[in-house]
Amino acid sequence: MSERQLEAFAATHAWRIPFDTTPRYLAGPGDGRHVTHGLAAAGWTRTSDPLSPEIVLTSPDRRYHLQFDPQSATSAWWRLRAEPPDAKA
């Protein structure tokens, strides 16, 4: 995935607010590898402890962080954070 494609995707989807999917079965089988393997192939890196059940992936530009936390008390297992484009690293 090119930098231009990532920017276009971010521009298109940045305004969307995520919602929990209920009932849970509508969200699909829940195999996180469908997400994590695709992002790893696109250059995202794991920035969390490999021995932890929590997974944190960081985008190549370090602007986006995806967290998978199966022990979350809120039942929202996936969280995506985005830094403003002008944020300093």
Side-chain angles (χ1 to χ4, degrees), residues 1-82:
M1 184 173 280
S2 72
E3 190 69 30
R4 185 173 165 197
Q5 289 172 314
L6 286 172
E7 289 173 8
F9 180 84
T12 302
H13 300 284
W15 61 272
R16 296 178 191 236
I17 300 172
F19 295 97
D20 287 342
T21 302
T22 50
R24 173 65 183 94
Y25 66 85
L26 292 176
D31 187 346
R33 292 175 294 183
H34 294 295
V35 175
T36 59
H37 286 189
L39 291 176
W44 288 54
T45 57
R46 183 174 180 151
T47 53
S48 56
D49 181 353
L51 298 178
S52 170
E54 176 187 38
I55 299 171
V56 178
L57 296 172
T58 302
S59 65
D61 64 0
R62 305 191 56 79
R63 185 171 166 215
Y64 301 97
H65 306 277
L66 180 67
Q67 177 185 13
F68 172 73
D69 184 5
Q71 299 172 346
S72 173
T74 65
S75 75
W77 288 11
W78 294 94
R79 289 183 202 88
L80 179 63
R81 289 189 348 253

